[in-house]
Every structure is written in C-alpha cells, then in structure tokens.
Amino acid sequence: MASMIFCDCSSSTTARLLPLSCHKLRHSCTPLHFSPYLTFSISSSKTSFPFLSIKSHASSTLISAKMATENTAKVIDGKSVAKQIREEIAVEIARMKEAIGVVPGLAVILVGDRKDSATYVRNKKKACDAVGINSFEVHLPETSTELEVLNSITKFNEDASVHGILVQLPLPSHMDEEKILNSVGIEKDVDGFHPLNIGRLAMRGREPLFVPCTPKGCIELLHRSGVQIKGKKAVVIGRSNIVGMPAALLLQREDATVTIVHSRTNNPENVIKEADIIISAVGQANMVKGSWIKPGAVIIDVGINPVEDPESPRGYRLVGDVCYEEVVKVASAVTPVPGGVGPMTIAMLLSNTLSSAKRMHNFS
Ligand code: GUN
C-alpha cells in the first residue's frame, strides 16, 4: 500500500496501538492485521444532497434514518435491508417449489481450517436453511490436492439438484485459484468469479449470468436507499477481484464516472474528496478520514477489520475502512460496520442461487 495514508482516526499521525483514540471505543482505530479479503448506518446533514432522496414508500422501513445527533449522516441499515431481501427470496422459493417442485441447491467447497472461512461457510448454510435452499458442503483438508477440489467441482457441476457452486476463498497457497474457479460451470457460478461472467460484466451490451455478491450488495443498498448513481462521481477504494474491480464495473454500468484508488495512487485523499459516492474495500481499519470526504457524499464501507479492544469479551471488535465518527459528520449517508454490507453479501448469494434455479428450470 505504497502511497496510502494509514493514520489514526482522530489524528493526522500514523496509526498507533491506541484503541481509545477515537471518540468512542466502538470506533477506535487499531488494526490487528491487514485483510486482503473483504466484506456497515444513513443519517442527515445540514448540507443539501440532490442525489440522495430517501423514498417514503413501503420499503422506507428498510432505512433506519436515525438522527444520531444533529448534522450527522443517515445510517444505511444493511441488516434490515438484507432481512427484507431474504424474506422476498423465501417467498419466491416457496412459490417455485409449489409450482414446479424444484428447490434451489447451493454447494459450498471449503478447503483447509481457516476459522474466518469456516464461519463464513457456516453462516451461508444457516442462511440457506432459513430461506429454504438446500445446501451441500464439502470440507477438504488443507493438504488436499488441486485434483480433489476439481473432482468435487465436477461432481457438483453434474448434479442437477445443485444450482450454485461456491469455492470459499482464499484457497491454500499450493492451489491454483484461477484453474479452480475456471472449472465451476458458468451457469452455476453464483459467486460470479468465472472469467466469462467477469468479462461480460466489463463489456457493454453483454450480460453476466451472475454478479459477484458483495459488489452487487453495495449497489442494491444504494438503490434501496434511493441514492442516484447515474452521472455521479464514484470512487472505489481497492482493486481486488472479489470486491473493488467488480464494484467499479457495476458503478460504471449504472452510468457513474468511476475512479479506482489503489495502493499506488498518489494523494488518494485528493481523489476521494471529489467523490459523490465512495465504496471502500481495502481492508484497512479506519483508513478513510472525515477530511477526505466531500460534504454530502454517500459512503459504502465494505471493510471488516478487527481492532484490539480489551473491553470486548473477545479482545477485539470489528470496524470498517472508514473512520465512522469522522465521516458521519460530513457524509449524507454511510453504512455501519458491522451491520452494513456484510449481511448483504449473503443475501445476494441466496438471490443468485434462486436466479440460477429459476433460469435452469425456465421459471419466472
Ligand atoms: N472469501 C471472501 N469473500 C468471498 C466471497 O464473496 N466468495 C468466496 N467464494 N469466497 C470469499
């Protein structure tokens, strides 16, 4: 991260192990480690934000427009939006089962013993159970061969009761991620990581069968919060294959003017300050400061970063890429961590699995 400025939330100096350095312990700014794999509240400001209009129809209950204090950003409540989406999905699954007797199936392949990956997989299975999706899981040891993973994928590619296949990342370092992801049938690629799906996402006039879940969740949050994207300046922070790159492609498809800020960007804060919409997916706790934000910007914080917290029973707590206490005073809307983008990722996976089953069985 050569030219990125990583500094403590409440100071202009470099980050230190000062868990109490932000205004509230909940949002202090001490990263435990850098996370290359990523995963969010709206409030109102005194400035006027023509591109943010919160709709007051039935779905407005999805947005908790809590006034934390005067002149603070609105909190985009991802937990509540995701719950609503899961309920919509459950209704559709019941309708399909009733009409044609088909139940969507999701297969998840987990390799190795990473605790975070095991937690993500467990949460995916729970979410499947709750909406009525059948889930299949293969857990292979860290020492498995690439061929064993490929064989599991082949088996699921050929299984008509499986409509979506997900290989949990990261894979052990001795495996060729590209080769493994390429072997997932494009019509079952619910993660949207197959190069054909990503290629179609990048091309005008082409349609991917699936869009990666976390970026899709970010855009869904913007839509359901009434944020206009067309014609706006958007900055994506981070260029990962899983989030940053597809998020930038999606924003561009929505007619935003998109800039990607990455580890080699000079003066990232100057670029970020121009943005009407910011999606941050860099995996660096409290990196984005309030002073980097244009008044009235909308911020989607994908980062889920553990920071030391002696007062928490686990000894740590989760914070975003964005220094929440600072940006909430400048932005028009911001996602909290936790409770922002995180729940949306799983909701989009369920949505992709349902779409896949509908497409395969010609059910609309
Ligand atoms: N690891 C972290 N995020 C993801 C994701 O969205 N999909 C998969 N397959 N693995 C991940």
Side-chain angles (χ1 to χ4, degrees), residues 37-38 117 120 124 166-170 191 193 213-214 242 345:
Y37 288 90
L38 295 170
S117 291
Y120 290 136
K124 285 166 186 170
L166 179 148
V167 181
Q168 186 65 32
L169 301 176
D191 248 335
F193 294 160
C213 301
T214 302
I242 292 182
T345 298

Side-chain angles (χ1 to χ4, degrees), residues 161-296:
S161 64
V162 171
H163 306 94
I165 302 172
L166 179 148
V167 181
Q168 186 65 32
L169 301 176
L171 286 161
S173 55
H174 65 278
M175 291 187 183
D176 181 344
E177 181 186 285
E178 184 179 358
K179 186 170 168 189
I180 286 171
L181 295 182
N182 287 2
S183 75
V184 174
I186 180 179
E187 73 289 347
K188 296 192 181 184
D189 174 39
V190 285
D191 248 335
F193 294 160
H194 192 287
L196 264 176
N197 275 321
I198 289 286
R200 289 183 188 175
L201 182 66
M203 294 171 81
R204 285 175 69 79
R206 307 285 164 87
E207 290 301 327
L209 293 178
F210 302 98
V211 170
C213 301
T214 302
K216 185 177 176 181
C218 296
I219 301 297
E220 190 69 27
L221 276 180
L222 291 170
H223 284 162
R224 293 199 183 216
S225 305
V227 176
Q228 191 190 319
I229 303 175
K230 185 177 181 171
K232 300 301 169 195
K233 285 186 186 165
V235 165
V236 177
I237 314 176
R239 53 179 166 178
S240 69
N241 288 338
I242 292 182
V243 189
M245 176 269 288
L249 294 173
L250 276 175
L251 285 164
Q252 187 164 273
R253 283 176 85 95
E254 298 267 336
D255 296 325
T257 302
V258 185
T259 307
I260 299 178
V261 163
H262 51 76
S263 56
R264 308 287 154 176
T265 302
N266 289 325
N267 304 314
E269 62 274 35
N270 293 347
V271 181
I272 293 164
K273 192 130 198 179
E274 295 279 305
D276 302 310
I277 297 169
I278 298 164
I279 296 182
S280 181
V282 76
Q284 180 69 46
N286 298 311
M287 187 193 81
V288 178
K289 309 299 164 205
S291 60
W292 299 14
I293 304 299
K294 175 166 140 180

